[in-house]
Amino acid sequence: MLQAYRDHVAERAKLGIPPLPLSAQQTADLIELLKNPPKGEEQALLDMITNRVPAGVDDAAKVKASYLAAVAHGTEKCPLISRAKATELLGTMLGGYNISPLVDLLDDAAVAAEAAEGLKKTLLMFDQFHDVKEKADKGNAHAKAVLQSWADAEWFTSRPEVPKSITVTKIGR
């Protein structure tokens, strides 16, 4: 799997285009490698799970979120990814399959802070906003912090400032 993906990356680089993200099957194969990482490939595997699986709601994101949720909850063990790191990675997925696990993890003292940080940067909550509010109403401090962060628009105000000017080049007509 690793060599096939490296070949794909090299082929696309020759064409001057970025590699495609991992498919659901490639993500599943990657997860199997993460469970028993080949010697010397640890950083490559971590980079792939972090940066090569698309965020959102495609099939590969579902595979990634499912595995990371199991690691974050402690029902699955990964020698390269701690519960806290799995929760942090879930928080980078922008919305979709990562939301339910993050909301659930707000009640887990071991990783609630990481879950809250991820949710603070997530806007595509849909109806699960109400789950966070319900937890906050019941006294969950991490859920309250998420709601306050959303109210303060930290997801927006923490972004880099927009440049005063942007230079573009028009090619063609």
Side-chain angles (χ1 to χ4, degrees):
M1 179 270 169
L2 281 174
Q3 190 55 50
Y5 193 71
R6 286 179 175 134
D7 291 346
H8 165 76
V9 170
E11 181 182 316
R12 303 267 300 184
K14 286 180 190 174
L15 298 172
I17 54 178
L20 294 172
L22 295 177
S23 68
Q25 183 58 57
Q26 289 171 314
T27 303
D29 293 344
L30 172 61
I31 287 167
E32 290 307 311
L33 291 172
L34 283 165
K35 292 177 181 180
N36 188 17
K39 199 78 166 155
E41 297 291 356
E42 297 87 354
Q43 281 309 117
L45 297 174
L46 287 173
D47 180 66
M48 289 176 79
I49 195 70
T50 303
N51 299 308
R52 299 307 319 147
V53 180
V57 293
D58 78 350
D59 291 339
K62 184 176 186 179
V63 173
K64 176 181 175 176
S66 176
Y67 179 66
L68 290 176
V71 174
H73 282 290
T75 58
E76 182 83 39
K77 300 285 185 222
C78 179
L80 301 180
I81 302 173
S82 66
R83 290 185 65 208
K85 183 65 175 177
T87 306
E88 177 188 323
L89 289 173
L90 280 169
T92 65
M93 295 184 68
L94 305 178
Y97 300 112
N98 66 324
I99 299 299
S100 289
L102 286 171
V103 172
D104 292 343
L105 290 165
L106 288 172
D107 294 321
D108 186 327
V111 293
E114 289 85 354
E117 286 306 308
L119 286 169
K120 287 176 183 180
K121 299 176 190 105
T122 302
L123 301 180
L124 304 175
M125 293 295 295
F126 305 105
D127 288 338
Q128 288 164 311
F129 165 84
H130 302 289
D131 299 333
V132 176
K133 183 171 181 331
E134 184 178 318
K135 287 180 184 296
D137 290 344
K138 290 181 179 177
N140 183 305
H142 294 287
K144 286 180 183 180
V146 170
L147 290 179
Q148 189 61 56
S149 175
W150 289 340
D152 294 340
E154 288 177 356
W155 57 271
F156 180 76
T157 59
S158 66
R159 307 284 300 171
E161 189 172 317
V162 176
K164 299 256 185 260
S165 66
I166 299 173
T167 303
V168 296
T169 303
K170 178 183 173 194
I171 300 173
R173 295 181 176 203

